[in-house]
Amino acid sequence: MSASKEVTFEMWRLQERRCYFTMSSAGAGIGYALATVEAELTTMETRVFLLTILLWAISFLAGLKLLTVVSEAMRISRLNVIEGKRFSSSPDALTALREVMHESTEKLGETNKFVGTVQLISLIGGAISFVFLKIDVSKAVPELLLSFQ
């Protein structure tokens, strides 16, 4: 296998690892939030809590979709290597096959970017909303502003 193909496979593997890490972060966040929830939440705090859980769940589900996209892209890349060897005697068939595979991987790359962005933004959004749930912002902000004077 050529060096460029090995680099491609390694890039997909790194994307897969990042996805697993983000999914585990979202799962751990959900578990921690559920374990530390207080029984006496106000209506607003309950809404923020549910928003936190929702955002982390979206992050986790986006990770599942991302893994599907990554595995499909890896399958197409491997197929490109295998079929490239098989069709090496027929340059026209090989060119047509590579064009189809290139279009497929290009679409998967766009999906990969979108889903990866959704996964990361929802993870960060859930973390920020969880901080607002745990910190009483109405008390913390005035105290913070007074400390600068």
Side-chain angles (χ1 to χ4, degrees):
M1 191 180 326
S2 70
S4 65
K5 290 178 182 171
E6 287 180 21
V7 168
T8 302
F9 285 131
E10 189 59 31
M11 285 173 45
W12 288 120
R13 284 189 202 107
L14 288 173
Q15 178 70 24
E16 190 177 41
R17 286 185 198 130
R18 186 194 67 81
C19 180
Y20 279 126
F21 175 74
T22 308
M23 287 176 65
S24 65
S25 299
I30 291 171
Y32 181 75
L34 291 174
T36 61
V37 67
E38 298 170 6
E40 301 85 26
L41 292 178
T42 65
T43 304
M44 186 62 181
E45 289 172 333
T46 303
R47 289 179 182 158
V48 172
F49 177 74
L50 292 175
L51 175 68
T52 300
I53 298 297
L54 176 69
L55 287 170
W56 281 335
I58 289 170
S59 177
F60 191 83
L61 293 174
L64 291 176
K65 175 65 178 168
L66 189 61
L67 287 176
T68 305
V69 170
V70 168
S71 66
E72 182 67 19
M74 287 178 75
R75 188 183 68 75
I76 289 173
S77 296
R78 285 189 181 125
L79 187 63
N80 187 13
V81 171
I82 293 168
E83 295 299 324
K85 291 176 183 175
R86 185 182 301 170
F87 287 113
S88 61
S89 61
S90 175
D92 293 337
L94 182 61
T95 304
L97 178 69
R98 288 206 170 139
E99 285 178 13
V100 169
M101 289 185 179
H102 179 72
E103 289 173 10
S104 298
T105 53
E106 203 170 284
K107 289 177 186 173
L108 287 172
E110 291 171 7
T111 304
N112 187 9
K113 277 185 188 177
F114 174 73
V115 175
T117 303
V118 167
Q119 183 188 24
L120 197 57
I121 288 174
S122 59
L123 178 73
I124 293 169
I128 290 171
S129 64
F130 189 69
V131 167
F132 281 116
L133 177 68
K134 291 296 179 180
I135 296 174
D136 189 2
V137 179
S138 63
K139 292 179 184 175
V141 171
E143 290 175 9
L144 182 66
L145 293 175
L146 288 175
S147 67
F148 288 123
Q149 293 179 352

